[in-house]
Amino acid sequence: MSDTTTDDTTKTGDDQDLGAAGSQLSTAPVEDAPTANLPALGVIGWARWFWRQLTSMRVALLLLLLLSLAAIPGSLIPQTGVDETRVADFRERHDVLAPVYDKLGLFHVYSSVWFSAIYILLFVSLIGCIVPRTWQFVGQLRGRPPGAPRRLTRLPAHTTWRTSATPEEVREAALALLKKRRFRAHAVGNAVAAEKGYLRELGNLAFHLALIVMLIAFAWGQLFKSEGNKIVVEGDGFSNTLTQYDDFKSGNLFTNDDLVPFSFDVKEFTGTYERSGPNRGTPRTYETEVTYTEGADGEEKRTVIKVNKPLEIGDAKVYLVSHGYAPVVTVRDGKGRIVYRDAVPLLPLDNNVTSNGVVKVLDGYRNPQGKKEQLGFQAFFVPTFGGSASGTMLSQFPALDYPVLALNAYHGDLKADSGIPQSVYQMDKSKMKEFKDADGQLLKKLLTPGETMKLPGGAGSITFEKDVKEWAGFQVVQEPGGGWALGGALAAIGGLAASLFVQRRRVWVRAVRGDDGVTVVEMAGLGRSESAKVPEELGDLAGILYERAPGVADPDPDSAPEPDGTPKPEGTPPEDPGTSSGPGTSDTSDTPDPTDPDPHAVPAEGAEQQ
């Protein structure tokens, strides 16, 4: 009975020894096993339990999934911060859904309470997860690999042989070999302990830290971002002030003082197109030559803005996003005086730049009776007219091959002074009257460059000048967190790759003198998870070490190997480590230890789990 107790105690000590050797191959927190008759948690206990759940990896992954799902409505439902016109149209068409969406905050998903709650919980979870693991990892880096277990033959990958070299020579050779292979190695008693693969845990921590950086960058960019659009005709300029934009939207914490001070002038727009083949009409070149200055007194510089090659000034980027034509028109009153002369930007309707818009004469015009009036012309422009035989006013090609301008004329009050903002591309006809032709129909005419349409009753005329300018549409974006978000994404990819493909493993080499005076060498390796890399690497190291400490003859070559290190025939190198039995290997399930009361004992739980 006393022998059995002693053996059980020895086995238990071996298992604990293996568990200690295989522990801390990662910085994952160890969960304590539940015990019976647990006392009531109380407020502090429940708070600790909630904190542990919130900072666990499974909850962080769940919150990350929820955040991805919560972002889906923002891409399917129109958002007030992106397109208020579409939101208003949705409200008009959906009387039942719109109030529900308002209560749920689906028209402003990214600033809603529930989206912010998921976002903040994920942020706290990642910080609570990464901080303790980082300190633990730093402690591991400052420490040394643990000493060798008492029975290396119980590890999943192991090998052993006998050599005539002294134990000191074997340990010195093993230490030099492991350090050459970039292991962190040191001598502990009669063995050498080494560890490698810290990049795995470093990559894991880098991945989580990168997620935090991405979350901060995303929040910073959303709160302080700005985005505005402006159409600039050749020869005109733009200054980065709020009143200069055609439309502008920004984050909740953005102020006008955050606008980067700069200005630029558009010198020339160049667009070329495919003339033949299946891609006829496809743009080949879109670029704008500009001169710009930074600040109020900056030096004037010249550059070319191309598609996907923006002009970068400080935190602002100026993108070329659209293009169109601006026919130059001249409006005269009945006495021949010029009351309006300018290039009128028209908005494209198709890929061939069929365009429409309006010409508004707000001041300076008097009708034949001498009264002040306003003129309005609906304009329809095609850069390449198909001819009257085509029957349609549609452009046949996007280049200026055969430009034609169609005009309709009105007079009256454009309601420009009503205080209600108006689009420069639309005309309010509620207080306007049509000019009539000789047949009593709406006055309209097709004009080629240089032609004039006369208004009836000596009311004046409008001339389509031979000069047709082009305009370029620019988008000015300020997103302060963009660079940090990109850096975080790259770091996350690199950290994830390291945590997936790098394996943290440990190797031990023990060299002791046997009872017959011959040195017995034992080598074993342990990885965090089952992988063919640990046995292969251990076999490679054992082969090199065997060359420096070759084997000697066994006392009895026909004898079976023993788990505690059996001699091999002279000149026979150690086999690749693994779980198969044979010379130089040991398997606890096939070769029982006569001193072990349970020859089929399973390796320590700590070693299996690692």
Side-chain angles (χ1 to χ4, degrees):
M1 181 67 67
S2 60
D3 292 341
T4 304
T5 304
T6 304
D7 289 340
D8 288 343
T9 304
T10 303
K11 175 180 175 296
T12 303
D14 290 342
D15 291 345
Q16 292 176 352
D17 191 22
L18 291 174
S23 66
Q24 301 306 320
L25 278 172
S26 73
T27 56
V30 179
E31 296 184 2
D32 298 332
T35 59
N37 302 323
L38 289 175
L41 292 179
V43 177
I44 298 179
W46 278 110
R48 289 178 178 175
W49 178 87
F50 177 78
W51 176 254
R52 289 181 180 180
Q53 298 303 314
L54 180 61
T55 57
S56 65
M57 185 59 61
R58 66 176 71 92
V59 173
L61 293 175
L62 178 61
L63 290 172
L64 189 61
L65 175 62
L66 288 177
L67 189 68
S68 302
L69 295 177
I72 294 177
S75 61
L76 300 178
I77 301 174
Q79 302 293 293
T80 54
V82 177
D83 195 338
E84 295 187 3
T85 303
R86 290 185 58 195
V87 173
D89 181 66
F90 187 92
R91 295 180 190 275
E92 293 179 0
R93 292 186 290 105
H94 301 84
D95 297 335
V96 178
L97 281 179
V100 177
Y101 284 5
D102 275 326
K103 292 181 180 180
L104 297 177
L106 296 181
F107 289 123
H108 50 92
V109 169
Y110 304 112
S111 60
S112 61
V113 175
W114 52 271
F115 188 87
S116 300
I118 299 174
Y119 191 91
I120 294 173
L121 284 176
L122 176 60
F123 188 79
V124 173
S125 177
L126 289 174
I127 293 179
C129 179
I130 195 174
V131 170
R133 295 184 68 168
T134 300
W135 285 115
Q136 185 175 352
F137 182 64
V138 171
Q140 294 178 15
L141 290 178
R142 297 178 62 183
R144 289 185 173 186
R150 190 166 61 89
R151 297 178 61 185
L152 291 178
T153 54
R154 295 182 65 91
L155 295 182
H158 59 269
T159 186
T160 180
W161 73 92
R162 292 159 53 90
T163 181
S164 59
T166 64
E168 292 77 10
E169 292 175 345
V170 175
R171 289 193 289 268
E172 289 178 3
L175 186 62
L177 173 61
L178 292 171
K179 287 185 176 181
K180 184 178 180 181
R181 292 297 186 93
R182 297 190 301 276
F183 278 83
R184 293 181 63 210
H186 69 114
V188 183
N190 60 2
V192 174
E195 188 169 0
K196 189 178 182 180
Y198 289 92
L199 188 61
R200 177 190 181 96
E201 192 61 32
L202 182 62
N204 191 16
L205 296 175
F207 173 75
H208 290 83
L209 183 61
L211 288 182
I212 296 177
V213 172
M214 291 174 63
L215 289 175
I216 295 176
F218 177 77
W220 186 269
Q222 291 297 314
L223 291 174
F224 291 93
K225 74 173 183 179
S226 68
E227 181 179 304
N229 296 284
K230 177 64 177 180
I231 289 178
V232 184
V233 180
E234 291 176 325
D236 291 345
F238 168 78
S239 179
N240 192 27
T241 58
L242 194 60
T243 57
Q244 289 275 301
Y245 285 99
D246 296 332
D247 60 82
F248 184 86
K249 54 180 177 288
S250 62
N252 296 334
L253 300 182
F254 183 87
T255 62
N256 294 343
D257 295 335
D258 295 327
L259 287 173
V260 177
F262 69 89
S263 60
F264 64 85
D265 295 325
V266 175
K267 298 301 181 182
E268 183 181 8
F269 177 87
T270 303
T272 59
Y273 309 90
E274 292 286 348
R275 285 286 177 178
S276 59
N279 295 325
R280 184 178 183 273
T282 302
R284 296 182 59 185
T285 303
Y286 267 177
E287 58 184 35
T288 305
E289 183 181 351
V290 301
T291 58
Y292 69 97
T293 58
E294 302 181 33
D297 303 320
E299 179 183 356
E300 186 174 86
K301 303 177 183 178
R302 184 179 295 268
T303 188
V304 175
I305 304 176
K306 300 180 180 180
V307 177
N308 296 327
K309 292 185 178 180
L311 168 64
E312 298 186 20
I313 305 175
D315 291 335
K317 294 183 178 180
V318 183
Y319 293 90
L320 176 62
V321 295
S322 58
H323 155 259
Y325 293 101
V328 179
V329 297
T330 302
V331 179
R332 294 178 172 84
D333 61 12
K335 297 181 179 180
R337 292 180 302 182
I338 296 177
V339 294
Y340 181 89
R341 181 185 177 89
D342 202 357
V344 182
L346 303 179
L347 296 180
L349 301 176
D350 56 29
N351 292 333
N352 287 327
V353 203
T354 302
S355 309
N356 72 344
V358 295
V359 180
K360 298 180 181 180
V361 181
L362 302 177
D363 301 310
Y365 174 78
R366 292 180 180 270
N367 61 18
Q369 290 75 33
K371 295 183 179 180
K372 291 184 178 180
E373 266 190 332
Q374 295 176 337
L375 299 178
F377 302 89
Q378 282 188 329
F380 206 76
F381 176 79
V382 290
T384 302
F385 184 49
S388 300
S390 65
T392 58
M393 187 66 175
L394 293 176
S395 178
Q396 307 300 309
F397 195 75
L400 286 172
D401 293 343
Y402 185 7
V404 171
L405 179 65
L407 294 173
N408 299 335
Y410 299 83
H411 64 100
D413 183 8
L414 290 170
K415 299 176 65 175
D417 301 328
S418 62
I420 300 176
Q422 290 186 356
S423 171
V424 295
Y425 306 105
Q426 296 178 347
M427 179 171 56
D428 187 349
K429 303 177 186 176
S430 58
K431 293 188 177 181
M432 299 292 288
K433 297 180 180 179
E434 300 176 348
F435 279 107
K436 304 291 185 178
D437 58 13
D439 298 328
Q441 302 296 323
L442 172 65
L443 179 65
K444 54 186 178 181
K445 189 176 181 179
L446 300 180
L447 303 177
T448 58
E451 293 186 339
T452 299
M453 180 178 75
K454 292 191 174 293
L455 303 178
S461 64
I462 180 171
T463 301
F464 176 21
E465 302 293 344
K466 295 182 179 182
D467 184 16
V468 179
K469 295 185 177 182
E470 300 184 58
W471 58 260
F474 299 96
Q475 185 178 72
V476 182
V477 178
Q478 287 186 221
E479 223 166 9
W484 286 98
L486 177 60
L490 295 177
I493 295 174
L496 184 61
S499 64
L500 291 177
F501 297 109
V502 177
Q503 184 175 12
R504 191 170 174 186
R505 62 270 191 200
R506 287 172 180 163
V507 173
W508 293 275
V509 181
R510 174 180 285 130
V512 295
R513 193 175 299 278
D515 296 336
D516 56 356
V518 179
T519 301
V520 179
V521 182
E522 292 180 326
M523 292 187 67
L526 182 65
R528 179 181 176 185
S529 59
E530 294 184 4
S531 172
K533 185 173 184 179
V534 174
E536 290 177 359
E537 188 173 33
L538 184 64
D540 183 30
L541 293 171
I544 298 175
L545 186 59
Y546 186 85
E547 294 177 357
R548 302 178 183 180
V552 298
D554 292 337
D556 185 3
D558 296 331
S559 63
E562 295 294 335
D564 57 350
T566 302
K568 299 187 60 176
E570 183 177 1
T572 303
E575 294 184 0
D576 290 340
T579 58
S580 62
S581 60
T585 62
S586 177
D587 189 280
T588 58
S589 62
D590 294 335
T591 309
D593 186 350
T595 64
D596 195 332
D598 185 4
H600 298 284
V602 179
E605 182 180 357
E608 273 303 314
Q609 291 179 348
Q610 295 298 329

